[in-house]
Amino acid sequence: MTELPGRVSIREVGPRDGLQNEEPIPTDAKVRLLDALSGTGVRRIEAVSFVHPKAIPQMADADEVWQRAAKAEGVRYSALVPNTRGAQRALAAGFTEIEVVVSASDTHNRRNVNRSTEESLDDIAELIDLLHGAGARAEVIIATSFGCPYEGDTDPARVAAIVDRVVRDGADRVAFGDTTGMGTPRRVRELLTAVRDRNAHVPVLLHFHNTRGTALANMLTALELGVTEFDASVGGLGGCPYAPGASGNLATEEAVHMLHDMGIDTGIDLDALIEVAELAERLVDRQLPSGVLRAGPRTRRTPPP
């Protein structure tokens, strides 16, 4: 029987990835959600993205949101940037953990940032140097790692080659995004095998969408392969503006419920997290997909001894 990790780190992405696919909500509401999440025991939060407001109007107030956020002690906050200008804004705001994204699919990359995957990788190499020069860490997120809404299946060898490139250019860690929810346990296993055959030492994080209902199964497969870092979004908020039909992210409270019941610690107070998910529903004014919000008895707050 595969031995599972005793502890998992979840990065909460609702304030950025979640809200960027919703109708814009007021700045006060964004700050309220961010601060509420900071009080749940989650230790990593993707707070904002520094993008052009015409591209993602939901993030137009990123500077103000971050300036007004409480910034709880012990919580590591990160920001997503698309280019050098975004990175400069993030550094000026004080972020030391910064993410940049590239799509494994050339078509999706062009829809997302209007350039080829190779062109983005050239830009990312320069961005990594900029971030390291400012004392910040650089995480490269590879979107459409398991499939693309325009090109179909993604070859794990292509993703592994992108990892080769960004690691050579100095990336501190890599993340794999299931942008369309095409991931399955088989695809997770094949991707991680391909990457680890060549870069076993590189810290990895997985980001699952639940479009086809496989997010928790994918997480379990990754756990069995030794992965201990995942993204999740409160209430299942989110999607992708450039992936038609992609539904929300893996709901944080669903992930925590499953992990705690398996005896895996997250450091997160599940009851407090569910209260924030209920808040998120009110803020976006729609029912969110999280099953935990409408289920019966909840698992214990902390895993059993």
Side-chain angles (χ1 to χ4, degrees):
M1 185 173 180
T2 303
E3 183 176 351
L4 297 176
R7 184 175 179 85
V8 160
S9 173
I10 291 181
R11 177 170 62 191
E12 171 59 54
V13 300
R16 196 285 300 177
D17 189 295
L19 292 182
Q20 79 166 22
N21 210 49
E22 301 290 328
E23 291 297 318
I25 66 173
T27 302
D28 285 346
K30 294 176 184 176
V31 174
R32 186 179 175 193
L33 179 63
L34 180 56
D35 288 349
L37 286 166
S38 297
T40 63
V42 67
R43 287 294 174 259
R44 298 185 67 194
I45 300 178
E46 184 184 60
V48 295
S49 62
F50 291 96
V51 297
H52 196 288
K54 289 184 179 179
I56 306 290
Q58 294 89 334
M59 294 288 112
D61 55 354
D63 286 291
E64 184 178 358
V65 169
W66 180 240
Q67 183 179 24
R68 291 171 53 185
K71 305 177 185 64
E73 184 177 355
V75 178
R76 294 163 52 195
Y77 298 93
S78 61
L80 181 76
V81 305
N83 50 34
T84 300
R85 174 58 184 150
Q88 290 169 335
R89 289 177 60 196
L91 291 170
F95 282 94
T96 58
E97 296 195 23
I98 296 175
E99 308 141 23
V100 59
V101 65
V102 61
S103 299
S105 154
D106 205 65
T107 304
H108 186 268
N109 205 70
R110 291 184 185 278
R111 296 291 183 98
N112 195 15
V113 293
N114 198 32
R115 60 178 69 105
S116 70
T117 298
E118 192 63 31
E119 289 171 327
S120 281
L121 289 171
D122 290 340
D123 290 344
I124 287 171
E126 296 182 7
L127 271 178
I128 291 172
D129 287 342
L130 171 67
L131 296 176
H132 285 172
R137 294 172 60 81
E139 175 180 311
V140 178
I141 301 171
I142 304 174
T144 62
S145 283
F146 301 93
C148 169
Y150 310 106
E151 297 182 11
D153 295 346
T154 299
D155 186 346
R158 176 170 173 80
V159 180
I162 293 173
V163 174
D164 289 344
R165 168 71 190 272
V166 299
V167 168
R168 187 168 64 248
D169 290 335
D172 296 294
R173 62 195 310 110
V174 293
F176 303 107
D178 185 17
T179 311
T180 60
M182 290 172 69
T184 63
R186 174 186 65 81
R187 294 176 190 234
V188 170
R189 191 173 298 276
E190 290 178 352
L191 175 64
L192 290 174
T193 299
V195 169
R196 286 173 167 171
D197 280 348
R198 291 142 65 161
N199 287 287
H201 64 289
V202 179
V204 301
L205 175 148
L206 290 174
H207 176 116
F208 294 122
H209 285 211
N210 203 37
T211 310
R212 294 165 178 82
T214 59
L216 286 174
N218 293 338
M219 172 181 264
L220 178 58
T221 299
L223 288 168
E224 292 172 343
L225 294 171
V227 176
T228 60
E229 297 187 49
F230 298 90
D231 279 348
S233 179
V234 64
L237 277 169
C240 177
Y242 304 102
S247 65
N249 294 286
L250 167 62
T252 314
E253 60 277 8
E254 290 183 350
V256 172
H257 173 90
M258 182 183 81
L259 292 168
H260 285 191
D261 195 61
M262 295 169 66
I264 299 173
D265 188 19
T266 65
I268 297 172
D269 182 328
L270 180 58
D271 287 345
L273 183 63
I274 290 171
E275 290 179 3
V276 180
E278 293 168 344
L279 168 64
E281 280 199 327
R282 296 194 297 272
L283 294 179
V284 301
D285 195 27
R286 72 175 180 89
Q287 182 172 298
L288 295 177
S290 167
V292 173
L293 287 178
R294 274 156 287 281
R298 301 162 183 170
T299 192
R300 54 183 64 85
R301 290 187 180 189
T302 56

